[in-house]
């Protein structure tokens, strides 16, 4: 089945809004794994407005499934990842001021930079993934960097699906087929939810992993975290 990695940024946002340690980020990460999730994802940003760098270090002792750290590979982020040595690092081209991820990499323009960063991570036995739009040229560029996987940026699909346009998945099917032909692993994330995840997973060949945060945490407010994690697992079978 496709693996579920739960992004816990929103838990950190809630904690930081009040100060103190409620909710306890480390306990939530431990509980999510106990509920059946295959991994934990975090996306620390330079301003530490949700996940703090110290959270990233502390989680290393808690995450016994897959630990995925996302972020823009500026030097402080690279140093953090090399210190922690998670299972996977996902490179995302976020501007410092970005509210959330809003574009994939131009893997042609930034190919030399990405290749250098990826080689550094791979020398430390960290699996690498590049956040990309469903575009064959960008996937070709990703392949040239030596990355292990790509993560398809799924906002456009999710938006079209919410409008009743399931054909919005077509570019993602083509992108996945192209990535499979190049022997690139495929992850996906952004605005995936209980409403659209089953349709997406059933139509994307070779989908290894999805990273879901905002929707999953919002759904858990009504349905409960344990219940929601297991609802996703059922849909990803």
């Amino acid at each position: 089945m496709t693996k579920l990695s739960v992004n816990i940024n929103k838990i950190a946002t809630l904690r930081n809004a009040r100060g103190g340690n409620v909710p306890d980020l480390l306990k939530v990460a431990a509980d999510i794994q106990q509920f059946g999730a295959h991994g934990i994802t975090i996306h620390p940003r330079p301003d530490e407005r949700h996940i703090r760098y110290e959270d990233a270090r502390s989680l290393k002792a808690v995450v016994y499934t897959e630990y995925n750290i996302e972020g823009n590979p500026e030097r402080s982020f690279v140093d953090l990842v090399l210190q922690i040595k998670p299972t996977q690092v996902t490179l995302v081209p976020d501007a410092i001021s970005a509210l959330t991820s809003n574009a994939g990499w131009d893997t042609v323009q930034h190919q030399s930079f990405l290749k250098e960063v990826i080689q550094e991570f791979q020398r430390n036995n960290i699996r690498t993934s590049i956040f990309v739009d469903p575009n064959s040229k960008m996937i070709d560029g990703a392949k040239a960097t030596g990355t292990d996987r790509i993560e398809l940026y799924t906002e456009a699909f999710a938006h079209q699906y919410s409008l009743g346009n399931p054909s919005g998945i077509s570019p993602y099917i083509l992108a996945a087929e192209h990535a499979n032909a190049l022997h690139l692993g495929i992850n996906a994330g952004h605005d995936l939810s209980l409403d659209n995840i089953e349709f997406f997973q059933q139509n994307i060949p070779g989908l290894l992993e999805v990273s879901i945060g905002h929707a999953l945490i919002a759904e858990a407010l009504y349905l409960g975290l344990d219940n929601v994690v297991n609802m996703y697992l059922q849909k990803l079978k």
Side-chain angles (χ1 to χ4, degrees), residues 5-12 25-26 29 39-45 50-60 63 66-72 77 80-81 84 86 88-92 94 101 151 211-213:
S5 186
V6 177
N7 186 315
I8 57 173
N9 277 22
K10 285 298 183 292
I11 301 298
L25 188 78
L26 301 184
I40 297 294
T41 291
I42 60 170
H43 189 147
R45 288 183 166 86
H50 34 63
I51 293 291
R52 300 166 182 155
Y53 276 31
E54 189 54 37
D55 293 329
R57 298 183 186 97
S58 298
L59 282 162
K60 175 69 173 178
V63 179
E66 179 182 288
Y67 191 10
N68 175 45
I69 302 182
E70 301 178 342
N72 194 324
F77 176 84
L80 177 72
V81 172
I84 296 169
Q88 176 175 267
V89 58
T90 301
L91 308 181
V92 183
D94 279 346
S101 305
E151 179 173 330
S211 175
I212 304 177

Side-chain angles (χ1 to χ4, degrees), residues 128-167:
T128 60
S129 181
I130 300 178
F131 199 59
V132 295
D133 296 308
N135 178 302
S136 61
K137 184 178 179 181
M138 295 302 109
I139 294 171
D140 286 336
K143 177 65 177 180
T145 68
T147 190
D148 301 296
R149 297 187 182 185
I150 57 169
E151 179 173 330
L152 293 172
Y153 172 40
T154 50
E155 181 181 11
F157 155 73
H159 178 65
Q160 289 300 315
Y161 192 83
S162 71
L163 297 176
N165 300 325
S167 62

Side-chain angles (χ1 to χ4, degrees), residues 87-109:
T87 318
Q88 176 175 267
V89 58
T90 301
L91 308 181
V92 183
D94 279 346
I96 291 177
S97 61
L99 180 63
T100 185
S101 305
N102 55 22
W105 281 97
D106 184 331
T107 58
V108 175
Q109 180 181 350

